[in-house]
Amino acid sequence: MPVPLRRWLPGLFLGTALPLTALPLTALAEAPQYGPELQGFEYPYALKHFAFESQGQSLQMGYMDVAAHGKANGRTVVLMHGKNFCGATWDSSIKALSDAGYRVIAPDQIGFCTSSKPAHYQYTFQQLAANTQQLLKALGVQKATLLGHSTGGMLATRYALLYPDQVERLALVNPIGLEDWKALGVPYRTVDLWYQRELKVTAQGIRDYERSTYYGGRWKPEFDRWVDMLAGLSNGPGKTQVAWNSALIYDMIFTQPVYYEFKDLKMPTLLLIGTSDTTAIGKDIAPPPVKARIGRYDELGKQVARLIPQSTLVEFPGLGHAPQMEEPAQFHKALLGWLDNTPPVR
């Protein structure tokens, strides 16, 4: 696989990319590019595919199904990735959970990563939850603990609301949707505008956005692999279909809040919150007074913990949007400690 020359990938994730003529030819030749279903990118565990019918189409979901390492405890954890993440970005969590005796299933949702990106699809969190439920049924999983990160936290919440009898415990890692941005005054951005924005994605833009929004201005070399993954998918041969599906998904996230239903969750729920996170959909176009008060995870975690009946809040002071990637040992100690001491719903 070619090695990316990262320092020569300019452009803005939330703005206008520089023209290709501004890039040295070596950068254009060496920048990673992956297929529309992330072909060419190596996953940390064996990648499998689940074929099914949805909305009159034949689709497939990529997923990893990792057995317990050592003494199995008979329980399953299902990992739900975020918008700018994939099943692969759960690599350290898969190992930690498997080592602790859990079977771990990490799917890529439709529209993301190694899964189908249909030209026409009505994206709803209910639909993605139903897709995942079909996968789990096919794998013989009747009950599981859900661990959702970012947008995956919204999906895990929706899944738990739809299928409460199939969810033993729910853990949410810096989930977005802890507030309703449209109700707070963030302007609506049409799918067409999202699409034009997504066509301009570059590796340097992704890195700059994530450094400032996710990691409080910090960066670790190991994050570069995930930047290359996302940029290589967004700028590969499936560029337009990736951008179109991404636009539809952003519209789903903005228009389908779960905030008002946190009070209805019936299972033990863990909130794992990096307090320096500032993620909020549409923040870049919000009026200054609105921008100043959204995406405040140091406040949002506490607020939502009060809404969820059986909640436990664990905060990671100074960490950002992805504490499981930023400080894996600290994160997994907290997660496994809660799992060990919180009986699952029977």
Side-chain angles (χ1 to χ4, degrees):
M1 184 183 300
V3 178
L5 190 63
R6 298 185 182 95
R7 60 183 176 178
W8 292 112
L9 290 171
L12 294 176
F13 191 55
L14 300 179
T16 303
L18 294 181
L20 292 179
T21 52
L23 292 171
L25 292 177
T26 53
L28 293 176
E30 295 186 30
Q33 288 192 355
Y34 303 115
E37 295 177 2
L38 207 51
Q39 294 92 337
F41 184 86
E42 185 177 357
Y43 265 43
Y45 297 90
L47 181 67
K48 303 176 183 180
H49 293 88
F50 171 61
F52 67 107
E53 296 290 320
S54 177
Q55 299 185 19
Q57 303 177 72
S58 297
L59 303 175
Q60 64 86 24
M61 292 175 68
Y63 69 96
M64 292 174 286
D65 184 358
V66 181
H69 180 73
K71 185 178 180 180
N73 61 21
R75 302 204 176 277
T76 300
V77 178
V78 178
L79 308 181
M80 296 183 173
H81 61 77
K83 171 65 179 67
N84 295 324
F85 301 83
C86 293
T89 54
W90 284 113
D91 60 343
S92 65
S93 296
I94 294 172
K95 183 179 187 307
L97 288 162
S98 175
D99 286 348
Y102 291 90
R103 177 186 182 183
V104 186
I105 298 172
D108 285 333
Q109 298 298 325
I110 294 299
F112 294 86
C113 310
T114 64
S115 295
S116 299
K117 296 169 184 67
H120 304 284
Y121 203 66
Q122 184 177 356
Y123 278 101
T124 66
F125 284 112
Q126 287 89 338
Q127 179 68 73
L128 297 184
N131 296 347
T132 307
Q133 199 262 354
Q134 284 192 61
L135 168 65
L136 296 183
K137 184 177 180 181
L139 295 177
V141 177
Q142 298 179 343
K143 283 194 174 187
T145 290
L146 305 184
L147 176 60
H149 170 233
S150 189
T151 298
M154 293 184 78
L155 174 57
T157 300
R158 179 58 61 203
Y159 191 108
L161 291 164
L162 281 175
Y163 310 110
D165 294 339
Q166 299 174 30
V167 179
E168 295 180 330
R169 292 167 294 199
L170 174 65
L172 307 174
V173 187
N174 281 75
I176 60 173
L178 297 183
E179 55 193 342
D180 182 355
W181 309 288
K182 57 184 174 53
L184 294 172
V186 176
Y188 177 70
R189 181 187 257 139
T190 66
V191 171
D192 290 327
L193 289 175
W194 278 117
Y195 175 62
Q196 292 303 319
R197 174 184 180 272
E198 291 302 283
L199 286 173
K200 298 172 183 176
V201 166
T202 68
Q204 188 60 52
I206 295 168
R207 188 176 295 105
D208 291 345
Y209 170 77
E210 292 188 355
R211 180 189 289 115
S212 64
T213 304
Y214 289 179
Y215 302 116
R218 301 176 298 275
W219 194 257
K220 292 184 176 183
E222 53 263 37
F223 299 162
D224 285 330
R225 168 170 162 77
W226 311 122
V227 171
D228 292 342
M229 174 192 72
L230 186 59
L233 177 66
S234 297
N235 292 291
K239 178 182 179 73
T240 56
Q241 68 191 98
V242 170
W244 180 247
N245 277 264
S246 182
L248 294 174
I249 290 164
Y250 270 123
D251 190 73
M252 172 188 72
I253 295 168
F254 186 79
T255 61
Q256 299 178 29
V258 296
Y259 172 77
Y260 305 103
E261 296 163 88
F262 283 124
K263 62 180 175 55
D264 300 322
L265 290 169
K266 301 184 184 303
M267 62 291 298
T269 300
L270 174 65
L271 287 164
L272 295 148
I273 303 294
T275 62
S276 292
D277 190 4
T278 60
T279 305
I281 299 298
K283 191 173 185 178
D284 57 311
I285 58 172
V290 175
K291 183 176 181 178
R293 67 190 183 102
I294 60 176
R296 294 291 307 273
Y297 277 76
D298 55 338
E299 299 175 359
L300 291 171
K302 296 180 181 69
Q303 292 172 9
V304 172
R306 290 193 289 268
L307 298 176
I308 299 173
Q310 300 180 63
S311 69
T312 300
L313 172 64
V314 174
E315 293 184 316
F316 302 102
L319 297 189
H321 188 61
Q324 78 277 19
M325 298 163 67
E326 195 173 4
E327 294 292 343
Q330 183 181 352
F331 173 85
H332 294 122
K333 181 179 179 181
L335 172 63
L336 292 171
W338 180 78
L339 290 174
D340 288 343
N341 292 287
T342 305
V345 173
R346 297 289 181 179

